[in-house]
């Protein structure tokens, strides 16, 4: 193994029977950790005391487990929308409109109730880079909508149920719908705008409840039940949605 390979913080390798795997150095990892995620693929977090070469050898012992999760990942990825000119896609406040232009770049203009996505006329709308840009444009629309809608909703529920919080921040987190800091700042995912209203409100109430109870103990669930009635059932419904799949 070359010294330059040893100094790398990440490396992509092709593993027989699995395909591309990202090996990434992690100072926080105490052991080798494998994740298989939709649209992200296979990632291996490698702790400082394990070399990439050793990590690669260990991966071969987990081939069957990885393949099983890759199959599940593929099923989820197949749920990702492919946008074309026949798509009738709407966010809460905007409608997607796909347009070609004579330029070589892609651009997005969000105004007057439309997400206007312009892409080069010589490209196919199904091209991977066009689809990626469409998704990022939709996310930008969700961000604008979230900044407009979610803080108002937090303020409404805080006043209604007597919660106190500091600030509301809109983020594009990859694994959390929301969180509450120790100083009672409320962090909300822009993808809440994709959820049914009842589940969006549930996440807001969930984080507001954390301003009082910082864990998920019995008192937390009792408090949450007192403000939304059926917390466990709503939490179960929320698990059917994936942040990265839309």
């Amino acid at each position: 193994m070359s010294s330059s390979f040893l100094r790398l913080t990440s490396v992509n390798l092709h593993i027989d029977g699995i395909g591309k795997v990202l090996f990434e150095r992690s100072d926080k990892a105490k052991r080798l950790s494998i994740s298989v995620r939709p649209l992200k693929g296979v990632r291996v977090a490698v702790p400082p005391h394990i070399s990439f070469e050793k990590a690669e050898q260990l991966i071969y012992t987990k081939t069957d487990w990885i393949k099983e999760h890759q199959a599940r990942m593929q099923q989820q990825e197949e749920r990702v929308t492919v946008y074309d000119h026949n798509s009738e896609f709407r966010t809460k406040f905007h409608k997607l409109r796909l347009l070609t232009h004579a330029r070589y770049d892609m651009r997005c203009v969000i105004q007057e109730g439309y997400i206007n996505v312009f892409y080069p006329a010589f490209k196919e709308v199904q091209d991977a880079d066009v689809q990626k840009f469409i998704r990022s444009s939709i996310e930008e629309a969700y961000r604008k909508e979230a900044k407009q809608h979610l803080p108002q909703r937090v303020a409404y529920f805080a006043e209604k149920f007597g919660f106190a919080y500091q600030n509301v921040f809109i983020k594009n987190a990859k694994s959390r719908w929301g969180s509450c800091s120790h100083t009672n700042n409320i962090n909300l995912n822009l993808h809440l705008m994709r959820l049914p209203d009842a589940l969006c409100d549930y996440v807001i109430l969930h984080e507001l409840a954390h301003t009082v109870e910082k864990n998920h103990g019995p008192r937390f669930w009792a408090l949450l039940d007192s403000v939304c009635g059926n917390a466990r059932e709503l939490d179960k419904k929320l698990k059917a949605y994936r942040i990265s799949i839309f």
Side-chain angles (χ1 to χ4, degrees):
M1 185 186 301
S2 69
S3 59
S4 61
F5 185 80
L6 287 169
R7 289 195 299 268
L8 291 174
T9 58
S10 66
V11 61
N12 282 296
L13 297 176
H14 182 86
I15 305 297
D16 291 342
I18 297 174
K20 188 177 78 171
V21 177
L22 171 63
F23 292 82
E24 197 163 38
R25 183 68 66 197
S26 172
D27 293 333
K28 295 181 180 179
K30 292 183 171 31
R31 59 184 177 80
L32 208 67
S33 175
I34 307 169
S35 61
V36 184
R37 296 179 179 174
L39 307 178
K40 301 293 183 183
V42 183
R43 175 184 178 270
V44 181
V46 184
H49 64 277
I50 296 180
S51 68
F52 282 146
E53 185 178 47
K54 182 65 174 177
E56 181 184 358
Q57 294 171 0
L58 292 172
I59 284 300
Y60 283 103
T61 68
K62 300 290 186 180
T63 300
D64 290 342
W65 181 90
I66 293 173
K67 284 183 177 179
E68 178 183 345
H69 283 75
Q70 281 180 315
R72 295 178 185 175
M73 179 186 71
Q74 184 176 357
Q75 289 178 348
Q76 293 179 12
E77 287 180 341
E78 288 172 353
R79 293 165 54 193
V80 173
T81 304
V82 176
Y83 301 96
D84 61 29
H85 291 274
N86 295 318
S87 298
E88 288 288 334
F89 181 84
R90 292 179 179 272
T91 63
K92 196 174 187 70
F93 303 119
H94 295 86
K95 180 179 179 180
L96 177 65
R97 186 158 57 184
L98 303 178
L99 304 161
T100 60
H101 62 183
R103 295 166 50 164
Y104 286 86
D105 63 345
M106 289 182 277
R107 64 189 184 97
C108 171
V109 179
I110 302 172
Q111 63 182 17
E112 297 179 355
Y114 285 97
I115 309 166
N116 296 301
V117 176
F118 298 86
Y119 68 95
F122 64 85
K123 282 185 170 288
E124 297 293 334
V125 71
Q126 292 86 1
D127 288 355
D129 59 337
V130 177
Q131 290 293 309
K132 182 178 180 180
F133 186 78
I134 293 170
R135 287 172 62 84
S136 68
S137 300
I138 292 171
E139 283 190 339
E140 186 57 33
Y142 282 135
R143 186 188 304 278
K144 290 172 70 75
E145 294 180 8
K147 288 181 177 180
Q148 173 188 344
H149 178 72
L150 296 180
Q152 296 178 9
R153 205 69 183 146
V154 174
Y156 167 77
F157 283 124
E159 182 178 356
K160 181 176 181 178
F161 295 113
F163 291 112
Y165 65 95
Q166 293 295 322
N167 300 292
V168 178
F169 297 101
I170 306 301
K171 299 188 175 182
N172 190 7
K174 303 305 179 186
S175 59
R176 288 185 174 187
W177 292 107
S179 63
C180 175
S181 74
H182 69 283
T183 57
N184 290 340
N185 287 321
I186 304 295
N187 303 302
L188 297 175
N189 198 312
L190 61 89
H191 287 280
L192 286 175
M193 299 306 298
R194 291 172 31 221
L195 297 180
D197 289 344
L199 293 182
C200 180
D201 287 346
Y202 165 72
V203 173
I204 292 171
L205 288 166
H206 186 114
E207 303 313 331
L208 284 172
H210 277 312
T211 63
V212 179
E213 298 291 339
K214 295 300 184 186
N215 55 47
H216 288 103
R219 290 192 304 180
F220 168 81
W221 289 106
L223 173 60
L224 193 51
D225 271 332
S226 72
V227 296
C228 68
N230 52 347
R232 295 282 190 180
E233 183 63 27
L234 290 167
D235 198 69
K236 183 178 179 181
K237 290 180 179 179
L238 183 64
K239 287 179 169 58
Y241 292 83
R242 298 296 295 260
I243 292 172
S244 61
I245 303 296
F246 64 93

PDB file of all heavy atoms in Angstrom, residues 30-63:
ATOM      1  N   LYS A  30     -15.593   4.222  16.889  1.00  0.00           N
ATOM      2  CA  LYS A  30     -14.804   3.360  17.756  1.00  0.00           C
ATOM      3  C   LYS A  30     -14.624   1.974  17.139  1.00  0.00           C
ATOM      4  O   LYS A  30     -13.767   1.194  17.560  1.00  0.00           O
ATOM      5  CB  LYS A  30     -15.477   3.243  19.125  1.00  0.00           C
ATOM      6  CG  LYS A  30     -15.471   4.549  19.924  1.00  0.00           C
ATOM      7  CD  LYS A  30     -16.076   4.355  21.290  1.00  0.00           C
ATOM      8  CE  LYS A  30     -15.906   5.561  22.209  1.00  0.00           C
ATOM      9  NZ  LYS A  30     -15.869   6.856  21.592  1.00  0.00           N
ATOM     10  N   ARG A  31     -15.440   1.665  16.155  1.00  0.00           N
ATOM     11  CA  ARG A  31     -15.332   0.398  15.429  1.00  0.00           C
ATOM     12  C   ARG A  31     -15.788   0.624  13.994  1.00  0.00           C
ATOM     13  O   ARG A  31     -16.360   1.656  13.667  1.00  0.00           O
ATOM     14  CB  ARG A  31     -16.176  -0.687  16.102  1.00  0.00           C
ATOM     15  CG  ARG A  31     -17.649  -0.346  16.200  1.00  0.00           C
ATOM     16  CD  ARG A  31     -18.438  -1.401  16.949  1.00  0.00           C
ATOM     17  NE  ARG A  31     -19.830  -1.029  17.108  1.00  0.00           N
ATOM     18  CZ  ARG A  31     -20.764  -1.158  16.181  1.00  0.00           C
ATOM     19  NH1 ARG A  31     -20.453  -1.670  14.987  1.00  0.00           N
ATOM     20  NH2 ARG A  31     -22.010  -0.796  16.414  1.00  0.00           N
ATOM     21  N   LEU A  32     -15.521  -0.357  13.157  1.00  0.00           N
ATOM     22  CA  LEU A  32     -15.943  -0.267  11.757  1.00  0.00           C
ATOM     23  C   LEU A  32     -17.464  -0.216  11.681  1.00  0.00           C
ATOM     24  O   LEU A  32     -18.149  -1.038  12.295  1.00  0.00           O
ATOM     25  CB  LEU A  32     -15.419  -1.499  10.998  1.00  0.00           C
ATOM     26  CG  LEU A  32     -15.159  -1.343   9.499  1.00  0.00           C
ATOM     27  CD1 LEU A  32     -14.000  -0.390   9.276  1.00  0.00           C
ATOM     28  CD2 LEU A  32     -14.843  -2.698   8.897  1.00  0.00           C
ATOM     29  N   SER A  33     -17.991   0.746  10.952  1.00  0.00           N
ATOM     30  CA  SER A  33     -19.441   0.915  10.863  1.00  0.00           C
ATOM     31  C   SER A  33     -19.861   0.985   9.396  1.00  0.00           C
ATOM     32  O   SER A  33     -19.328   1.798   8.636  1.00  0.00           O
ATOM     33  CB  SER A  33     -19.869   2.185  11.595  1.00  0.00           C
ATOM     34  OG  SER A  33     -21.241   2.438  11.430  1.00  0.00           O
ATOM     35  N   ILE A  34     -20.811   0.139   9.012  1.00  0.00           N
ATOM     36  CA  ILE A  34     -21.275   0.067   7.625  1.00  0.00           C
ATOM     37  C   ILE A  34     -22.689   0.621   7.547  1.00  0.00           C
ATOM     38  O   ILE A  34     -23.548   0.259   8.349  1.00  0.00           O
ATOM     39  CB  ILE A  34     -21.277  -1.379   7.105  1.00  0.00           C
ATOM     40  CG1 ILE A  34     -19.909  -2.028   7.318  1.00  0.00           C
ATOM     41  CG2 ILE A  34     -21.655  -1.434   5.631  1.00  0.00           C
ATOM     42  CD1 ILE A  34     -19.926  -3.533   7.069  1.00  0.00           C
ATOM     43  N   SER A  35     -22.930   1.505   6.580  1.00  0.00           N
ATOM     44  CA  SER A  35     -24.290   1.996   6.339  1.00  0.00           C
ATOM     45  C   SER A  35     -24.621   1.839   4.863  1.00  0.00           C
ATOM     46  O   SER A  35     -23.758   2.001   4.002  1.00  0.00           O
ATOM     47  CB  SER A  35     -24.425   3.466   6.759  1.00  0.00           C
ATOM     48  OG  SER A  35     -23.555   4.291   6.012  1.00  0.00           O
ATOM     49  N   VAL A  36     -25.874   1.496   4.594  1.00  0.00           N
ATOM     50  CA  VAL A  36     -26.368   1.355   3.225  1.00  0.00           C
ATOM     51  C   VAL A  36     -27.610   2.222   3.124  1.00  0.00           C
ATOM     52  O   VAL A  36     -28.649   1.907   3.716  1.00  0.00           O
ATOM     53  CB  VAL A  36     -26.706  -0.115   2.885  1.00  0.00           C
ATOM     54  CG1 VAL A  36     -27.110  -0.245   1.427  1.00  0.00           C
ATOM     55  CG2 VAL A  36     -25.522  -1.018   3.190  1.00  0.00           C
ATOM     56  N   ARG A  37     -27.504   3.337   2.376  1.00  0.00           N
ATOM     57  CA  ARG A  37     -28.593   4.311   2.354  1.00  0.00           C
ATOM     58  C   ARG A  37     -29.028   4.626   0.935  1.00  0.00           C
ATOM     59  O   ARG A  37     -28.188   4.682   0.031  1.00  0.00           O
ATOM     60  CB  ARG A  37     -28.149   5.605   3.049  1.00  0.00           C
ATOM     61  CG  ARG A  37     -27.853   5.434   4.529  1.00  0.00           C
ATOM     62  CD  ARG A  37     -27.398   6.715   5.153  1.00  0.00           C
ATOM     63  NE  ARG A  37     -27.133   6.565   6.578  1.00  0.00           N
ATOM     64  CZ  ARG A  37     -26.610   7.494   7.350  1.00  0.00           C
ATOM     65  NH1 ARG A  37     -26.277   8.671   6.827  1.00  0.00           N
ATOM     66  NH2 ARG A  37     -26.404   7.280   8.635  1.00  0.00           N
ATOM     67  N   PRO A  38     -30.337   4.846   0.745  1.00  0.00           N
ATOM     68  CA  PRO A  38     -30.839   5.213  -0.577  1.00  0.00           C
ATOM     69  C   PRO A  38     -30.167   6.469  -1.097  1.00  0.00           C
ATOM     70  O   PRO A  38     -29.946   7.426  -0.352  1.00  0.00           O
ATOM     71  CB  PRO A  38     -32.339   5.445  -0.327  1.00  0.00           C
ATOM     72  CG  PRO A  38     -32.645   4.675   0.902  1.00  0.00           C
ATOM     73  CD  PRO A  38     -31.406   4.734   1.741  1.00  0.00           C
ATOM     74  N   LEU A  39     -29.801   6.451  -2.373  1.00  0.00           N
ATOM     75  CA  LEU A  39     -29.177   7.571  -3.080  1.00  0.00           C
ATOM     76  C   LEU A  39     -27.760   7.870  -2.594  1.00  0.00           C
ATOM     77  O   LEU A  39     -27.081   8.715  -3.160  1.00  0.00           O
ATOM     78  CB  LEU A  39     -30.024   8.847  -2.966  1.00  0.00           C
ATOM     79  CG  LEU A  39     -31.487   8.715  -3.387  1.00  0.00           C
ATOM     80  CD1 LEU A  39     -32.213  10.025  -3.169  1.00  0.00           C
ATOM     81  CD2 LEU A  39     -31.612   8.260  -4.828  1.00  0.00           C
ATOM     82  N   LYS A  40     -27.312   7.174  -1.547  1.00  0.00           N
ATOM     83  CA  LYS A  40     -25.967   7.389  -1.003  1.00  0.00           C
ATOM     84  C   LYS A  40     -25.062   6.178  -1.232  1.00  0.00           C
ATOM     85  O   LYS A  40     -23.844   6.328  -1.322  1.00  0.00           O
ATOM     86  CB  LYS A  40     -26.038   7.691   0.502  1.00  0.00           C
ATOM     87  CG  LYS A  40     -26.869   8.919   0.852  1.00  0.00           C
ATOM     88  CD  LYS A  40     -26.219  10.194   0.352  1.00  0.00           C
ATOM     89  CE  LYS A  40     -27.023  11.411   0.783  1.00  0.00           C
ATOM     90  NZ  LYS A  40     -26.453  12.666   0.248  1.00  0.00           N
ATOM     91  N   GLY A  41     -25.649   4.995  -1.287  1.00  0.00           N
ATOM     92  CA  GLY A  41     -24.863   3.790  -1.488  1.00  0.00           C
ATOM     93  C   GLY A  41     -24.282   3.250  -0.201  1.00  0.00           C
ATOM     94  O   GLY A  41     -24.796   3.501   0.894  1.00  0.00           O
ATOM     95  N   VAL A  42     -23.177   2.520  -0.342  1.00  0.00           N
ATOM     96  CA  VAL A  42     -22.547   1.861   0.801  1.00  0.00           C
ATOM     97  C   VAL A  42     -21.402   2.724   1.323  1.00  0.00           C
ATOM     98  O   VAL A  42     -20.511   3.121   0.573  1.00  0.00           O
ATOM     99  CB  VAL A  42     -22.007   0.471   0.401  1.00  0.00           C
ATOM    100  CG1 VAL A  42     -21.419  -0.245   1.628  1.00  0.00           C
ATOM    101  CG2 VAL A  42     -23.107  -0.383  -0.225  1.00  0.00           C
ATOM    102  N   ARG A  43     -21.432   3.014   2.614  1.00  0.00           N
ATOM    103  CA  ARG A  43     -20.370   3.802   3.259  1.00  0.00           C
ATOM    104  C   ARG A  43     -19.833   3.048   4.453  1.00  0.00           C
ATOM    105  O   ARG A  43     -20.598   2.454   5.222  1.00  0.00           O
ATOM    106  CB  ARG A  43     -20.903   5.154   3.720  1.00  0.00           C
ATOM    107  CG  ARG A  43     -19.895   6.002   4.505  1.00  0.00           C
ATOM    108  CD  ARG A  43     -20.523   7.282   5.025  1.00  0.00           C
ATOM    109  NE  ARG A  43     -19.595   8.082   5.810  1.00  0.00           N
ATOM    110  CZ  ARG A  43     -19.435   7.977   7.136  1.00  0.00           C
ATOM    111  NH1 ARG A  43     -20.150   7.085   7.819  1.00  0.00           N
ATOM    112  NH2 ARG A  43     -18.562   8.743   7.767  1.00  0.00           N
ATOM    113  N   VAL A  44     -18.512   3.067   4.609  1.00  0.00           N
ATOM    114  CA  VAL A  44     -17.864   2.428   5.742  1.00  0.00           C
ATOM    115  C   VAL A  44     -17.118   3.491   6.533  1.00  0.00           C
ATOM    116  O   VAL A  44     -16.212   4.153   6.003  1.00  0.00           O
ATOM    117  CB  VAL A  44     -16.882   1.327   5.291  1.00  0.00           C
ATOM    118  CG1 VAL A  44     -16.248   0.660   6.501  1.00  0.00           C
ATOM    119  CG2 VAL A  44     -17.594   0.291   4.425  1.00  0.00           C
ATOM    120  N   ALA A  45     -17.519   3.713   7.784  1.00  0.00           N
ATOM    121  CA  ALA A  45     -16.807   4.625   8.678  1.00  0.00           C
ATOM    122  C   ALA A  45     -15.658   3.851   9.311  1.00  0.00           C
ATOM    123  O   ALA A  45     -15.874   2.846   9.990  1.00  0.00           O
ATOM    124  CB  ALA A  45     -17.749   5.173   9.745  1.00  0.00           C
ATOM    125  N   VAL A  46     -14.445   4.334   9.081  1.00  0.00           N
ATOM    126  CA  VAL A  46     -13.244   3.614   9.512  1.00  0.00           C
ATOM    127  C   VAL A  46     -12.584   4.365  10.668  1.00  0.00           C
ATOM    128  O   VAL A  46     -12.162   5.514  10.498  1.00  0.00           O
ATOM    129  CB  VAL A  46     -12.248   3.466   8.343  1.00  0.00           C
ATOM    130  CG1 VAL A  46     -11.045   2.626   8.777  1.00  0.00           C
ATOM    131  CG2 VAL A  46     -12.930   2.849   7.122  1.00  0.00           C
ATOM    132  N   PRO A  47     -12.474   3.745  11.851  1.00  0.00           N
ATOM    133  CA  PRO A  47     -11.821   4.417  12.984  1.00  0.00           C
ATOM    134  C   PRO A  47     -10.324   4.577  12.760  1.00  0.00           C
ATOM    135  O   PRO A  47      -9.741   3.885  11.912  1.00  0.00           O
ATOM    136  CB  PRO A  47     -12.116   3.474  14.166  1.00  0.00           C
ATOM    137  CG  PRO A  47     -12.387   2.155  13.546  1.00  0.00           C
ATOM    138  CD  PRO A  47     -12.991   2.418  12.201  1.00  0.00           C
ATOM    139  N   PRO A  48      -9.689   5.469  13.490  1.00  0.00           N
ATOM    140  CA  PRO A  48      -8.274   5.773  13.266  1.00  0.00           C
ATOM    141  C   PRO A  48      -7.343   4.572  13.395  1.00  0.00           C
ATOM    142  O   PRO A  48      -6.317   4.521  12.718  1.00  0.00           O
ATOM    143  CB  PRO A  48      -7.968   6.820  14.354  1.00  0.00           C
ATOM    144  CG  PRO A  48      -9.284   7.440  14.672  1.00  0.00           C
ATOM    145  CD  PRO A  48     -10.293   6.346  14.524  1.00  0.00           C
ATOM    146  N   HIS A  49      -7.689   3.592  14.236  1.00  0.00           N
ATOM    147  CA  HIS A  49      -6.771   2.480  14.495  1.00  0.00           C
ATOM    148  C   HIS A  49      -6.888   1.347  13.463  1.00  0.00           C
ATOM    149  O   HIS A  49      -6.179   0.353  13.559  1.00  0.00           O
ATOM    150  CB  HIS A  49      -7.002   1.924  15.904  1.00  0.00           C
ATOM    151  CG  HIS A  49      -8.368   1.315  16.097  1.00  0.00           C
ATOM    152  ND1 HIS A  49      -9.476   2.093  16.396  1.00  0.00           N
ATOM    153  CD2 HIS A  49      -8.808   0.035  16.034  1.00  0.00           C
ATOM    154  CE1 HIS A  49     -10.529   1.311  16.519  1.00  0.00           C
ATOM    155  NE2 HIS A  49     -10.162   0.058  16.306  1.00  0.00           N
ATOM    156  N   ILE A  50      -7.789   1.500  12.480  1.00  0.00           N
ATOM    157  CA  ILE A  50      -7.947   0.479  11.441  1.00  0.00           C
ATOM    158  C   ILE A  50      -7.556   1.080  10.096  1.00  0.00           C
ATOM    159  O   ILE A  50      -8.022   2.161   9.728  1.00  0.00           O
ATOM    160  CB  ILE A  50      -9.395  -0.050  11.389  1.00  0.00           C
ATOM    161  CG1 ILE A  50      -9.757  -0.757  12.694  1.00  0.00           C
ATOM    162  CG2 ILE A  50      -9.582  -1.011  10.202  1.00  0.00           C
ATOM    163  CD1 ILE A  50     -11.171  -1.310  12.733  1.00  0.00           C
ATOM    164  N   SER A  51      -6.701   0.397   9.350  1.00  0.00           N
ATOM    165  CA  SER A  51      -6.286   0.880   8.038  1.00  0.00           C
ATOM    166  C   SER A  51      -7.394   0.631   7.014  1.00  0.00           C
ATOM    167  O   SER A  51      -8.257  -0.243   7.213  1.00  0.00           O
ATOM    168  CB  SER A  51      -5.005   0.163   7.590  1.00  0.00           C
ATOM    169  OG  SER A  51      -5.274  -1.203   7.335  1.00  0.00           O
ATOM    170  N   PHE A  52      -7.369   1.381   5.899  1.00  0.00           N
ATOM    171  CA  PHE A  52      -8.331   1.139   4.828  1.00  0.00           C
ATOM    172  C   PHE A  52      -8.170  -0.276   4.264  1.00  0.00           C
ATOM    173  O   PHE A  52      -9.142  -0.916   3.876  1.00  0.00           O
ATOM    174  CB  PHE A  52      -8.153   2.176   3.713  1.00  0.00           C
ATOM    175  CG  PHE A  52      -8.749   3.524   4.032  1.00  0.00           C
ATOM    176  CD1 PHE A  52      -8.156   4.688   3.581  1.00  0.00           C
ATOM    177  CD2 PHE A  52      -9.905   3.639   4.778  1.00  0.00           C
ATOM    178  CE1 PHE A  52      -8.707   5.936   3.861  1.00  0.00           C
ATOM    179  CE2 PHE A  52     -10.465   4.872   5.069  1.00  0.00           C
ATOM    180  CZ  PHE A  52      -9.862   6.027   4.614  1.00  0.00           C
ATOM    181  N   GLU A  53      -6.938  -0.748   4.218  1.00  0.00           N
ATOM    182  CA  GLU A  53      -6.680  -2.095   3.702  1.00  0.00           C
ATOM    183  C   GLU A  53      -7.347  -3.150   4.579  1.00  0.00           C
ATOM    184  O   GLU A  53      -7.994  -4.073   4.082  1.00  0.00           O
ATOM    185  CB  GLU A  53      -5.170  -2.346   3.642  1.00  0.00           C
ATOM    186  CG  GLU A  53      -4.804  -3.679   3.004  1.00  0.00           C
ATOM    187  CD  GLU A  53      -3.306  -3.866   2.926  1.00  0.00           C
ATOM    188  OE1 GLU A  53      -2.619  -3.624   3.934  1.00  0.00           O
ATOM    189  OE2 GLU A  53      -2.821  -4.252   1.845  1.00  0.00           O
ATOM    190  N   LYS A  54      -7.214  -2.993   5.897  1.00  0.00           N
ATOM    191  CA  LYS A  54      -7.858  -3.915   6.826  1.00  0.00           C
ATOM    192  C   LYS A  54      -9.375  -3.794   6.738  1.00  0.00           C
ATOM    193  O   LYS A  54     -10.096  -4.803   6.772  1.00  0.00           O
ATOM    194  CB  LYS A  54      -7.389  -3.606   8.257  1.00  0.00           C
ATOM    195  CG  LYS A  54      -7.958  -4.536   9.322  1.00  0.00           C
ATOM    196  CD  LYS A  54      -7.486  -5.967   9.146  1.00  0.00           C
ATOM    197  CE  LYS A  54      -7.940  -6.839  10.301  1.00  0.00           C
ATOM    198  NZ  LYS A  54      -7.536  -8.257  10.103  1.00  0.00           N
ATOM    199  N   ALA A  55      -9.869  -2.562   6.604  1.00  0.00           N
ATOM    200  CA  ALA A  55     -11.313  -2.348   6.482  1.00  0.00           C
ATOM    201  C   ALA A  55     -11.858  -3.050   5.247  1.00  0.00           C
ATOM    202  O   ALA A  55     -12.933  -3.663   5.286  1.00  0.00           O
ATOM    203  CB  ALA A  55     -11.620  -0.853   6.433  1.00  0.00           C
ATOM    204  N   GLU A  56     -11.108  -2.987   4.141  1.00  0.00           N
ATOM    205  CA  GLU A  56     -11.534  -3.653   2.917  1.00  0.00           C
ATOM    206  C   GLU A  56     -11.636  -5.158   3.124  1.00  0.00           C
ATOM    207  O   GLU A  56     -12.597  -5.811   2.679  1.00  0.00           O
ATOM    208  CB  GLU A  56     -10.555  -3.348   1.788  1.00  0.00           C
ATOM    209  CG  GLU A  56     -10.942  -4.000   0.456  1.00  0.00           C
ATOM    210  CD  GLU A  56      -9.913  -3.768  -0.629  1.00  0.00           C
ATOM    211  OE1 GLU A  56      -8.911  -3.067  -0.370  1.00  0.00           O
ATOM    212  OE2 GLU A  56     -10.108  -4.301  -1.728  1.00  0.00           O
ATOM    213  N   GLN A  57     -10.672  -5.726   3.824  1.00  0.00           N
ATOM    214  CA  GLN A  57     -10.691  -7.165   4.094  1.00  0.00           C
ATOM    215  C   GLN A  57     -11.903  -7.557   4.935  1.00  0.00           C
ATOM    216  O   GLN A  57     -12.557  -8.571   4.689  1.00  0.00           O
ATOM    217  CB  GLN A  57      -9.402  -7.582   4.809  1.00  0.00           C
ATOM    218  CG  GLN A  57      -8.148  -7.438   3.969  1.00  0.00           C
ATOM    219  CD  GLN A  57      -6.876  -7.643   4.777  1.00  0.00           C
ATOM    220  OE1 GLN A  57      -6.925  -7.889   5.980  1.00  0.00           O
ATOM    221  NE2 GLN A  57      -5.734  -7.517   4.110  1.00  0.00           N
ATOM    222  N   LEU A  58     -12.221  -6.717   5.946  1.00  0.00           N
ATOM    223  CA  LEU A  58     -13.345  -7.011   6.824  1.00  0.00           C
ATOM    224  C   LEU A  58     -14.683  -6.922   6.089  1.00  0.00           C
ATOM    225  O   LEU A  58     -15.637  -7.633   6.423  1.00  0.00           O
ATOM    226  CB  LEU A  58     -13.336  -6.053   8.018  1.00  0.00           C
ATOM    227  CG  LEU A  58     -12.187  -6.239   9.011  1.00  0.00           C
ATOM    228  CD1 LEU A  58     -12.175  -5.101  10.027  1.00  0.00           C
ATOM    229  CD2 LEU A  58     -12.312  -7.576   9.735  1.00  0.00           C
ATOM    230  N   ILE A  59     -14.757  -6.036   5.086  1.00  0.00           N
ATOM    231  CA  ILE A  59     -16.002  -5.849   4.340  1.00  0.00           C
ATOM    232  C   ILE A  59     -16.427  -7.151   3.663  1.00  0.00           C
ATOM    233  O   ILE A  59     -17.621  -7.468   3.574  1.00  0.00           O
ATOM    234  CB  ILE A  59     -15.855  -4.709   3.312  1.00  0.00           C
ATOM    235  CG1 ILE A  59     -15.907  -3.364   4.017  1.00  0.00           C
ATOM    236  CG2 ILE A  59     -16.948  -4.761   2.251  1.00  0.00           C
ATOM    237  CD1 ILE A  59     -17.189  -3.115   4.782  1.00  0.00           C
ATOM    238  N   TYR A  60     -15.453  -7.923   3.187  1.00  0.00           N
ATOM    239  CA  TYR A  60     -15.789  -9.172   2.500  1.00  0.00           C
ATOM    240  C   TYR A  60     -16.517 -10.156   3.414  1.00  0.00           C
ATOM    241  O   TYR A  60     -17.260 -11.005   2.940  1.00  0.00           O
ATOM    242  CB  TYR A  60     -14.528  -9.809   1.914  1.00  0.00           C
ATOM    243  CG  TYR A  60     -14.048  -9.141   0.651  1.00  0.00           C
ATOM    244  CD1 TYR A  60     -12.955  -8.278   0.657  1.00  0.00           C
ATOM    245  CD2 TYR A  60     -14.705  -9.356  -0.560  1.00  0.00           C
ATOM    246  CE1 TYR A  60     -12.527  -7.646  -0.504  1.00  0.00           C
ATOM    247  CE2 TYR A  60     -14.276  -8.739  -1.727  1.00  0.00           C
ATOM    248  CZ  TYR A  60     -13.185  -7.886  -1.690  1.00  0.00           C
ATOM    249  OH  TYR A  60     -12.775  -7.264  -2.840  1.00  0.00           O
ATOM    250  N   THR A  61     -16.335 -10.026   4.725  1.00  0.00           N
ATOM    251  CA  THR A  61     -17.034 -10.911   5.658  1.00  0.00           C
ATOM    252  C   THR A  61     -18.484 -10.479   5.865  1.00  0.00           C
ATOM    253  O   THR A  61     -19.273 -11.208   6.463  1.00  0.00           O
ATOM    254  CB  THR A  61     -16.323 -10.942   7.021  1.00  0.00           C
ATOM    255  OG1 THR A  61     -16.463  -9.658   7.657  1.00  0.00           O
ATOM    256  CG2 THR A  61     -14.843 -11.275   6.851  1.00  0.00           C
ATOM    257  N   LYS A  62     -18.831  -9.273   5.377  1.00  0.00           N
ATOM    258  CA  LYS A  62     -20.181  -8.733   5.552  1.00  0.00           C
ATOM    259  C   LYS A  62     -20.943  -8.655   4.232  1.00  0.00           C
ATOM    260  O   LYS A  62     -21.973  -7.986   4.156  1.00  0.00           O
ATOM    261  CB  LYS A  62     -20.097  -7.327   6.168  1.00  0.00           C
ATOM    262  CG  LYS A  62     -19.412  -7.273   7.523  1.00  0.00           C
ATOM    263  CD  LYS A  62     -20.261  -7.933   8.595  1.00  0.00           C
ATOM    264  CE  LYS A  62     -19.640  -7.752   9.968  1.00  0.00           C
ATOM    265  NZ  LYS A  62     -20.470  -8.391  11.027  1.00  0.00           N
ATOM    266  N   THR A  63     -20.441  -9.344   3.219  1.00  0.00           N
ATOM    267  CA  THR A  63     -21.037  -9.238   1.881  1.00  0.00           C
ATOM    268  C   THR A  63     -22.521  -9.576   1.865  1.00  0.00           C
ATOM    269  O   THR A  63     -23.331  -8.856   1.269  1.00  0.00           O
ATOM    270  CB  THR A  63     -20.279 -10.131   0.889  1.00  0.00           C
ATOM    271  OG1 THR A  63     -18.910  -9.711   0.830  1.00  0.00           O
ATOM    272  CG2 THR A  63     -20.879 -10.031  -0.501  1.00  0.00           C
TER     273      THR A  63
END
